[in-house]
Amino acid sequence: MSLGNPTKGMLAAAVLAASALFAAPASAEIKNLEIIAPANAGGGYDQHARAMQQVLQDHKLASSVQVVNIPGAGGTIGLSQFVTAKKRNPGLMISGLGMIGAILINKSPVSLDQVTPLARLTGEYQPIVVAADSPLKTLDDLVKKFKADPGSVSWGGFAVGSPDHILYGLLVKAIGGDVSKMNYIAAGAGGEMMASVLGGHITVATGGYNEMASQLQAGKLRALAISSPQRLPGIDVPTFKEQGVDVELVNWRAVMAPGNLKASEKQVLDDAVGAMVRTDEWKRIAEERGWIDLYLPPDQFAAFVKDERTRIEGVLTELGLVK
């Protein structure tokens, strides 16, 4: 990542330039920025990376912004490459609630201790959906089917320990079911998961509302419930709570910077992201995609991540996903 107009000498000494590249004034445009989306195209991490790419470039906060998808293991493969990259500037990485669980469950050799929490960006409530031709018409139908034969319900989600998995576990516990009998299938994200539920390969699917909004509006999917505390404006989907099931979950998404940044380096990135989230364009994209504004700057976000890791470890342990 370079700022301003680097000299030929800086370019020649690129391998040693990490600190110098951040030394430009905080108002300088960030150049040659890479944003890692640690998942396949179409999912929440990818959507956030590409929204950042668009807004940062449109508002001249950064230029030559590239999004790189590195899927696998709930985002921990992307995290590992982000942490261990040495010969090139790794730029930024999208993260979120799901990565915390994936690190614990996959016993990842790298952790969020090795990155710099830069900003919490948004949150998203999750519907659970079935194919339009599914015999399951309501949440109650799904509950009855699971109670009658737990193995007959396949629960499709992004990865083991992801917010999708956590949501299903909370649902099963709330209805008095046995979490150990859940047939959870890591079906990927975005289009990959939608193809699985539409093709009848999984019973139910979940994810961010925007990931399946077009299929819902086209009548190809049917939403049985959504994890918000009350109905969302413009979204005609009943909550779990209004159907007598005490479940609520928000999937937050964030952006991380490389570890061991100098204060001046972090300030450059903080200024850019802070300016980005204040733009009308970012706010419009968030509204269109059903993202809730949960922005936190670096220091507040770092404290939040610390508390969240403790909370999620407790939830996953209770659900039997971490021992």
Side-chain angles (χ1 to χ4, degrees):
M1 183 191 304
S2 61
L3 299 176
N5 295 309
T7 65
K8 291 182 179 180
M10 286 173 67
L11 291 173
V15 70
L16 301 174
S19 296
L21 293 177
F22 282 99
S27 60
E29 181 183 50
I30 302 170
K31 295 183 181 294
N32 303 317
L33 175 64
E34 180 178 282
I35 303 176
I36 290 177
N40 288 313
Y45 288 165
D46 179 69
Q47 289 185 25
H48 279 71
R50 295 185 190 279
M52 285 190 67
Q53 177 189 41
Q54 175 181 327
V55 179
L56 287 171
Q57 291 187 142
D58 286 352
H59 291 268
K60 302 189 184 307
L61 297 166
S63 62
S64 300
V65 182
Q66 299 296 319
V67 173
V68 178
N69 293 90
I70 306 178
T76 58
I77 292 178
L79 172 64
S80 178
Q81 292 193 29
F82 184 68
V83 166
T84 60
K86 296 183 184 301
K87 294 185 179 180
R88 62 179 177 83
N89 173 42
L92 299 174
M93 183 190 69
I94 303 299
S95 184
L97 171 62
M99 188 173 285
I100 290 180
I103 289 168
L104 293 167
I105 288 175
N106 291 299
K107 296 180 171 58
S108 172
V110 295
S111 75
L112 295 181
D113 288 333
Q114 294 164 274
V115 302
T116 300
L118 186 61
R120 189 179 69 180
L121 298 173
T122 69
E124 195 170 13
Y125 294 113
Q126 299 195 189
I128 58 170
V129 302
V130 296
D133 59 1
S134 169
L136 303 177
K137 307 297 183 185
T138 66
L139 179 61
D140 190 53
D141 290 342
L142 174 61
V143 170
K144 288 178 179 177
K145 181 176 177 64
F146 180 79
K147 286 185 173 180
D149 181 7
S152 69
V153 176
S154 52
W155 310 80
F158 172 49
V160 173
S162 67
D164 304 347
H165 200 168
I166 292 171
L167 177 61
Y168 290 143
L170 292 174
L171 169 57
V172 169
K173 284 182 65 67
I175 64 174
D178 186 345
V179 175
S180 69
K181 294 183 178 179
M182 283 175 53
N183 178 20
Y184 184 79
I185 297 176
E192 187 178 5
M193 191 192 309
M194 292 305 99
S196 293
V197 71
L198 289 170
H201 305 298
I202 54 177
T203 309
V204 296
T206 189
Y209 178 81
N210 182 64
E211 294 174 43
M212 52 195 71
S214 61
Q215 302 280 16
L216 287 166
Q217 291 162 6
K220 295 181 179 181
L221 292 174
R222 176 168 53 253
L224 304 182
I226 194 164
S227 65
S228 54
Q230 57 269 330
R231 288 209 186 197
L232 300 176
I235 298 177
D236 187 23
V237 179
T239 67
F240 287 99
K241 288 189 172 183
E242 73 180 82
Q243 298 179 84
V245 178
D246 189 15
V247 170
E248 181 182 332
L249 182 75
V250 63
N251 183 11
W252 55 268
R253 299 308 185 347
V255 60
M256 304 292 188
N260 301 316
L261 289 180
K262 294 180 180 178
S264 59
E265 298 169 349
K266 186 166 74 170
Q267 189 65 56
V268 171
L269 296 171
D270 180 21
D271 287 347
V273 174
M276 180 194 76
V277 300
R278 291 191 296 271
T279 65
D280 290 340
E281 184 178 11
W282 177 264
K283 293 175 183 177
R284 175 184 57 77
I285 291 172
E287 183 177 1
E288 289 175 352
R289 299 183 180 182
W291 298 344
I292 305 157
D293 178 14
L294 294 180
Y295 174 71
L296 285 178
D299 291 347
Q300 292 178 45
F301 177 44
F304 169 82
V305 169
K306 182 178 180 181
D307 291 342
E308 190 75 338
R309 286 165 64 181
T310 300
R311 183 180 75 90
I312 294 304
E313 184 170 8
V315 171
L316 293 175
T317 300
E318 184 180 5
L319 295 177
L321 301 177
V322 171
K323 296 181 180 179

